[in-house]
Structure formats: structure tokens, C-alpha cells
Amino acid sequence: MKKTVLVSGGAGFIGSHVTVELAQAGYDVVIADNFSNCDETNYKGVCAILGRQMPLVRMDFCDAAAVEALFAKYPIDAVIHFAAFKAVGESVAEPLMYYRNNLLSFVNILEAARKKGCNVLFSSSATVYGETDQLPVTEASPRQPATSPYGNTKQMCEDILRDSVKAYPGVRGIALRYFNPIGAHPSALIGELPRGVPNNLVPFITQTAVGKRECLSVFGNDYPTPDGTCLRDYIDIVDLAKAHVCAVTRMCEGRMKEDYEIFNVGTGRPLSVLELINAFERVNGVKLNWKFAPRRAGDVVAIWADPTRAEQELGWRAERSIDETVKAAWAWEKKLAGK
Ligand code: WQD
């Protein structure tokens, strides 16, 4: 009997890649999105990759009645919750917008999941670890006080899921803590679509290389790292998507060992900003226009995952090389530019 997975925010960067991997793994998928943070590009790309029109519900998860109607309409076995605002800087300027949207949408989903008795997979983030010198981080590493309302909503949603699992029989949950998702699907039919000027490194690199941005600023070269630039755990978006299939399967097959589980989803391979720029230039044969700039407020010096738990319990590990990832990122940017 095929299982049905609801992907909230399924038209977005991560949601669309997860939809493809779930469908190709044999799951029925329902995409629900209010398109507040993306257009239909990735939804159309998902349908093109899968060769069929995927079920799509346009809705806002802050609308409790709409959420209830969605769960009444489809035989949902598991829900993966991506639908949230995710711009760190914007969350500092608009905290109430972030707390309302990110918390209320998740509470509505949990209320519906509780009635249906279905599993919940929450899209969390390594941002919960904050700044730490105990590296690599494991799932037992302490969370640090959030440095932005966005990061705080991630911690609060983890706690809401944990407490719901404890209180309500039949609700089981997994939180996946992503490190830095980058890249695009090898088909170049889906990828990252930042609104306006990208905050994140890789889309800024590709937009600079394609001529959409004048120059990439490397924020800080005086950090206590081998080359002076920050270290991050950059995880290929397709590897990240496959981790969701492993987690959903663990839940649907009743293989969870606790009713609430947390997994780091990273490569365990720290990379500096300069190393990423050099890989991009080498693999794609392009010269990038970049310069050093002052440090960016809020940046942590270094963070990368200990992915052992996901390997042992989910049977998942990152497989793509950084070369494959920057190649796919560049192919996607060129496709967007019509090149
Ligand atoms: C990576 C490195 C920058 C842009 C953020 C969120 C996190 C998660 C992933 C959602 C840093 C440097 C960047 C640029 C640069 N998002 N950089 N020039 O900040 O590690 O994580 O995205 O869950 O929650 O905080 O990612 O790509 O912004 O930065 O030098 O134009 O690249 O200083 O060292 P970050 P990032």
C-alpha cells in the first residue's frame, strides 16, 4: 500500500527536491504551498522531472480550517513541514511576522496530525547550535540561545514537536538539523530561487559568475581558521533530500527507537569560503570577481556536523562531492539566465 506524504512548502528549494526523491522512492506526494516565498518555477520543474502533474494545494498553513480540510481530503501518512519564513536578517526586522507565521503554521499542522495520528518531520537547522568550539557537533551538542527570531522559531518548533509527541499518543516526530544546503538538481529543472539579493553564499557566487551581480564580497578574512574565512558544512541539496526519504521511511515503517528523534544532516566535511570559491572556479572554468569585505554580523566562525547518527540510524550519508554540487549549481544558474 503506497504511503502518502504531505510536503508543506513543497514548491520551495528544499521542498521541491524532497518531493522528487519521495516520488522516485515510491511515495505519493501532495504539495501544499502559498507561494509567498517562491513562484511556480520549481513546481513546474518537479512535474517535468517526474513526468506528471503533481497534486498541488495552494494554501496558507496559518489558516487552521484550510489545514483541517487538507488533512480530510488526503490519506496523509506523514507530513514534512518546510512552510516557514527563513531570512535571518528579515526576522530581526519583523520578529512578530516570523513568530506568527512559523509557529502558528506548525501548531496547525500538529493539531491536524494529532487527529490523524500521522508522523511529522520538521525541517530544523544547525543554526540551533549557534557558536561553538566543540566541533564537529553531534545531536547531543547543546543548543545555544538563538541569535535571531528565525533561529529561535527553529528551536521553539523543535520543542513544540517534542512536547506534542510526549503528550499526544500516535504523534511521532523527527527533526532534521540541516547544515548549509547548496546546489541544484542535476536536471537543472529545479534549484535555489532566492528573492532579490541573495543572503547565502552559493547563489551569490553563481549570480556573480553569470553577471547578475557585480562582485562577491567575502565577509571576513581574519577568522581563526586555516585561510582566515569561515568554515561551513555545505550539503548537496539532493543528498539532503534523500535524507528526508530515509527519515520518512523510518517513521512509516515503525523503526523509530524513540517517539521524538533528532538527526544532523551534514557531510562532516568543513569547507572555507575561499575553498568553495576555488572549487567553483576550477570545476566550471570561470573566474569569479570577488573581494574581501568586513565580517558579517552574526556569522559563526565555524560549524560542521558529526553525521554518524544519521549514518547508523537512517542508513544515510552524503554522497555527492563538492565538485558535483558546484557544477549543478552553475548549470542551474545558467539555465535561469537562459544560457
Ligand atoms: C556561509 C558563509 C558567510 C554570503 C544561513 C542561515 C542558516 C541556514 C543556511 C536556513 C558565511 C559567507 C555569505 C556572501 C560571504 N539557513 N558569505 N559572502 O550564514 O552559514 O547559514 O544559511 O536554515 O540558518 O544562517 O550561510 O551562505 O549565508 O554564509 O562571504 O555574499 O559564506 O559570511 O561565512 P550561513 P551563508
Side-chain angles (χ1 to χ4, degrees), residues 185-200:
H185 192 266
S187 67
L189 290 169
I190 54 177
E192 198 163 2
L193 281 165
R195 281 183 313 168
V197 180
N199 297 311
N200 295 134

Side-chain angles (χ1 to χ4, degrees), residues 88 125 127 150 180 199-201 204 216-219 230 232 234 273 296 299:
V88 174
S125 167
T127 197
Y150 159 76
N180 286 60
N199 297 311
N200 295 134
L201 178 60
F204 208 110
L216 167 77
S217 295
V218 174
F219 297 138
C230 294
R232 291 290 184 277
Y234 295 100
V273 176
R296 179 174 69 175
D299 275 338

Side-chain angles (χ1 to χ4, degrees), residues 3-7 22 27-28 30 71 75-81 117-121 247-249 251-252:
K3 298 282 187 187
T4 300
V5 181
L6 165 66
V7 181
L22 283 168
Y27 288 93
D28 281 334
V30 177
F71 275 74
I76 296 163
D77 297 290
V79 50
I80 305 181
H81 182 51
C118 76
N119 303 304
V120 179
L121 175 48
V248 162
T249 305
M251 292 199 284
C252 291

Side-chain angles (χ1 to χ4, degrees), residues 8-269:
S8 84
F13 173 42
I14 302 176
S16 55
H17 287 80
V18 168
T19 296
V20 166
E21 298 305 322
L22 283 168
Q24 290 179 340
Y27 288 93
D28 281 334
V29 183
V30 177
I31 296 170
D33 207 305
N34 67 359
F35 291 93
S36 64
N37 211 13
C38 66
D39 61 21
E40 292 212 0
T41 304
N42 275 339
Y43 171 68
K44 287 179 184 151
V46 165
C47 297
I49 293 167
L50 297 174
R52 60 184 186 278
Q53 206 61 12
M54 293 299 287
L56 169 64
V57 179
R58 294 169 188 280
M59 59 172 288
D60 186 334
F61 281 85
C62 289
D63 176 349
V67 174
E68 255 185 74
L70 178 69
F71 275 74
K73 182 174 180 185
Y74 294 97
I76 296 163
D77 297 290
V79 50
I80 305 181
H81 182 51
F82 293 111
F85 296 153
K86 64 172 182 98
V88 174
E90 184 183 50
S91 76
V92 175
E94 289 290 351
L96 288 179
M97 185 175 91
Y98 271 67
Y99 287 121
R100 174 192 301 280
N101 185 68
N102 291 7
L103 301 183
L104 179 57
S105 58
F106 194 42
V107 166
N108 285 341
I109 281 180
L110 283 167
E111 286 285 11
R114 171 190 177 187
K115 288 190 191 109
K116 194 113 188 183
C118 76
N119 303 304
V120 179
L121 175 48
F122 174 63
S123 158
S124 191
S125 167
T127 197
V128 304
Y129 295 115
E131 180 87 70
T132 174
D133 51 13
Q134 307 296 314
L135 292 166
V137 288
T138 71
E139 290 79 358
S141 297
R143 297 186 316 186
Q144 303 290 339
T147 54
S148 72
Y150 159 76
N152 206 21
T153 64
K154 287 299 181 187
Q155 294 197 23
M156 294 166 85
C157 284
E158 286 190 355
D159 295 346
I160 293 168
L161 180 55
R162 179 203 58 210
D163 295 345
S164 300
V165 161
K166 242 186 255 167
Y168 308 129
V171 178
R172 284 179 303 284
I174 287 180
L176 295 184
R177 290 176 177 166
Y178 312 152
F179 283 70
N180 286 60
I182 63 169
H185 192 266
S187 67
L189 290 169
I190 54 177
E192 198 163 2
L193 281 165
R195 281 183 313 168
V197 180
N199 297 311
N200 295 134
L201 178 60
V202 170
F204 208 110
I205 286 176
T206 56
Q207 289 190 10
T208 302
V210 86
K212 208 171 163 185
R213 304 289 160 206
E214 181 56 37
C215 177
L216 167 77
S217 295
V218 174
F219 297 138
N221 67 338
D222 58 351
Y223 285 101
T225 61
D227 65 16
T229 63
C230 294
L231 294 169
R232 291 290 184 277
D233 186 331
Y234 295 100
I235 169 131
D236 184 280
I237 185 65
V238 173
D239 279 334
L240 177 68
K242 290 178 184 294
H244 289 74
V245 178
C246 295
V248 162
T249 305
R250 179 184 177 86
M251 292 199 284
C252 291
E253 291 180 355
R255 289 193 277 108
M256 293 176 74
K257 291 178 180 164
E258 324 243 352
D259 284 344
Y260 174 58
E261 295 179 331
I262 297 171
F263 296 99
N264 284 342
V265 185
T267 67
R269 175 196 65 205

